Amino acid sequence: FGGSFNVFAEARRPKYLLQLINGSHVPFAPVQAEIIVTSAVHFLDRYLNGRSSLHALLEDGNVPGVAALFQDR
């Protein structure tokens, strides 16, 4: 996961990094899969369509003990 932080640090803004706590690369647990999908949908809806709220994205990606969403806008 450390390599992901390096790529995140070098990426242009806006940028987000979703960490699945104690998650494997694949297959994802059902709760992790749901977080991945809802976070991705809110990200794309916000930045491609301008419709989704940033609050929804942050809420979906930050689930205590399951996922953490890092951001740099």
Side-chain angles (χ1 to χ4, degrees), residues 17-64:
L17 175 64
L18 182 64
Q19 177 187 19
L20 300 176
I21 299 168
N22 296 320
S24 63
H25 191 68
V26 287
F28 302 112
V31 68
Q32 294 170 332
E34 182 179 344
I35 292 168
I36 293 167
V37 170
T38 57
S39 295
V41 167
H42 280 121
F43 175 83
L44 294 171
D45 206 29
R46 176 172 175 79
Y47 288 101
L48 296 181
N49 298 324
R51 293 189 302 220
S52 187
S53 73
L54 182 58
H55 176 75
L57 174 61
L58 296 175
E59 187 176 279
D60 287 341
N62 287 299
V63 180

